[in-house]
Amino acid sequence: MNKIWKQYAKERYQRVFGILALWGFLNFYLFFLCDADFYVWDLIYLNLLLGSVAVCVLVCDFFRYRRLQKCLVGEECKEQELEKLMGMQIYRAWKQEEEQQKKELLQQKKYLEDLSDYIARWSHEAKLPLAALKLMNGRNENEELRKEMESSIARLESLMHTVLMGSKLERPEHDVKFERILLEEVIKESIQNQAFFLIRNHFELDIQVKDIWIYSDRRWMVYLLDQLIGNAVKYKKENPKIVFWAEEKEPGQVRFGIQDFGIGIPKEELPYVFQKGYVGKNLRKGNYYSTGMGLYFVEKIGKLLHIKISLSSEEGQGCCVTLDFQNLSEYFLTETDR
């Protein structure tokens, strides 16, 4: 598109230059070569006439440029009008570039689909050797080694799930199903997914959510909570605890919060925590280090599910992530359900 605009601007400059060249030539010819037979007032009158014509041409050109801008940013325009505004040569170049961009987008989409399918197949195939490892580890007589193996296997399963869901986020348009779900059930399902790490780290769980319904996609909501619970595990302190609470502000509008009491996030890092790959200074002690992808996925899923997500934290006091659900009952409920 930049190339097209440059070509369009070049034509406009050539037109302005042509007008100025014509004006300069007429003045030179009439003033210096015909001065004996030409009156000064006639020359002034001719300059005023040429100036008026030039102003009219430039004003028309400006409005033509503004109209072309509106057409190119999305306003409905007929193909004949675009061709007239651009000129045949520029219009053809623009159509060729547009077709090339469409081809590139289709190629990129196909590449993402192939990559997502490959990751899905790989994830499913990798479950078999992991299941075998679990069975073999169950016969391991070394208790300390068995626990370490259990931790590594659980970690691999979690990473495989993250890879699979992360690849689906690149093309989620056919993978979202909104339905009326009980929030408490979603919380318990996510807790079950993270049970190994929660039990091993002796987490206390406080679920202050009863009989609250939301409209969302169950699988994506569970994955979103998996990320938040996973973060609470990674950045825990002694006597770790997670509190889940929810309130219905208005009919259909729910505010849901997940509060942990871990090491927290420094105030200066809060504006960046949802950025892809951002890693703060508070890395978990031990073998694991943050990848900076968890909260990035959380925000991306929030946009996918139309959830407003906010995070507050104080260093040393933990974090609270708040999810505000919109009232979608008008879109999903029948009259008998309301």
Side-chain angles (χ1 to χ4, degrees):
M1 183 57 70
N2 288 334
K3 188 186 295 184
I4 301 300
W5 278 116
K6 286 179 181 178
Q7 191 172 350
Y8 181 83
K10 183 180 178 181
E11 284 196 2
R12 304 285 75 76
Y13 292 148
Q14 288 175 347
R15 179 176 295 190
V16 172
F17 179 78
I19 291 172
L20 291 175
L22 177 63
W23 174 80
F25 172 76
L26 288 175
N27 274 274
F28 176 79
Y29 179 79
L30 295 174
F31 189 79
F32 290 101
L33 302 180
C34 304
D35 57 334
D37 303 316
F38 204 80
Y39 292 104
V40 174
W41 285 108
D42 291 336
L43 185 62
I44 293 173
Y45 173 77
L46 182 61
N47 274 283
L48 290 173
L49 185 61
L50 287 173
S52 301
V53 171
V55 168
C56 290
V57 170
L58 292 174
V59 168
C60 290
D61 237 18
F62 173 75
F63 282 109
R64 180 183 175 188
Y65 167 76
R66 290 294 298 273
R67 176 59 182 162
L68 181 58
Q69 263 191 329
K70 290 179 180 178
C71 288
L72 292 178
V73 297
E75 190 171 309
E76 189 175 348
C77 292
K78 294 181 179 179
E79 293 291 324
Q80 295 86 346
E81 184 181 3
L82 271 174
E83 185 176 352
K84 185 178 178 181
L85 290 170
M86 289 183 171
M88 185 176 293
Q89 185 177 358
I90 298 178
Y91 176 76
R92 286 178 179 174
W94 175 70
K95 289 299 289 184
Q96 288 176 357
E97 185 174 335
E98 191 178 53
E99 289 298 323
Q100 182 63 29
Q101 287 178 348
K102 286 181 180 178
K103 288 180 182 178
E104 290 175 359
L105 285 173
L106 286 173
Q107 289 175 353
Q108 187 177 16
K109 185 178 180 181
K110 187 178 183 304
Y111 170 76
L112 288 174
E113 289 176 353
D114 291 343
L115 179 61
S116 181
D117 291 340
Y118 171 77
I119 291 173
R121 289 196 304 271
W122 178 87
S123 298
H124 288 298
E125 289 174 7
K127 288 179 181 179
L128 291 175
L130 278 177
L133 282 173
K134 278 185 178 180
L135 291 173
M136 289 187 288
N137 192 48
R139 299 194 295 269
N140 191 344
E141 296 180 357
N142 188 324
E143 185 176 352
E144 184 178 349
L145 179 60
R146 186 173 66 250
K147 288 182 179 180
E148 288 298 322
M149 285 289 290
E150 284 177 354
S151 177
S152 297
I153 292 169
R155 182 83 186 125
L156 277 172
E157 288 178 330
S158 177
L159 287 172
M160 282 170 52
H161 186 59
T162 297
V163 168
L164 182 61
M165 298 301 286
S167 69
K168 287 180 179 293
L169 265 177
E170 297 302 324
R171 53 182 190 118
E173 59 273 8
H174 303 302
D175 199 49
V176 179
K177 179 185 177 183
F178 281 90
E179 58 183 337
R180 189 169 182 253
I181 54 179
L182 190 61
L183 183 56
E184 187 177 6
E185 290 181 357
V186 174
I187 295 170
K188 288 180 178 179
E189 187 175 340
S190 181
I191 288 173
Q192 183 64 33
N193 291 344
Q194 303 295 320
F196 176 85
F197 301 105
L198 293 171
I199 294 171
R200 186 178 183 186
N201 290 282
H202 309 290
F203 264 81
E204 178 187 350
L205 302 177
D206 184 4
I207 304 176
Q208 303 173 9
V209 179
K210 297 290 182 182
D211 300 324
I212 290 184
W213 296 81
I214 59 173
Y215 280 88
S216 191
D217 180 284
R218 187 185 192 93
R219 183 170 52 167
W220 284 113
M221 269 302 302
V222 170
Y223 179 64
L224 186 152
L225 293 182
D226 285 350
Q227 300 302 310
L228 296 178
I229 294 174
N231 271 359
V233 173
K234 295 168 194 172
Y235 302 107
K236 65 180 177 62
K237 293 197 304 184
E238 293 182 0
N239 304 316
K241 179 180 179 180
I242 304 177
V243 176
F244 302 90
W245 56 268
E247 59 180 359
E248 194 167 20
K249 299 165 62 180
E250 295 179 13
Q253 290 189 354
V254 175
R255 172 163 287 181
F256 171 45
I258 304 97
Q259 171 77 53
D260 69 58
F261 300 88
I263 60 177
I265 302 171
K267 184 178 180 180
E268 63 272 14
E269 293 181 3
L270 287 176
Y272 312 105
V273 292
F274 291 109
Q275 291 182 3
K276 185 177 182 179
Y278 180 77
V279 178
K281 68 179 183 180
N282 287 334
L283 299 179
R284 183 185 177 198
K285 294 179 181 178
N287 295 327
Y288 179 84
Y289 290 92
S290 174
T291 61
M293 297 299 289
L295 288 178
Y296 165 74
F297 283 145
V298 166
E299 185 186 44
K300 201 164 184 180
I301 296 169
K303 291 179 180 177
L304 178 67
L305 302 180
H306 307 288
I307 303 170
K308 181 181 178 183
I309 298 177
S310 55
L311 183 147
S312 59
S313 179
E314 186 175 342
E315 193 169 10
Q317 302 298 318
C319 296
C320 181
V321 179
T322 306
L323 287 72
D324 287 302
F325 295 88
Q326 300 179 29
N327 183 3
L328 301 176
S329 59
E330 292 184 4
Y331 301 97
F332 298 102
L333 286 179
T334 63
E335 290 297 328
T336 57
D337 295 323
R338 291 177 188 171

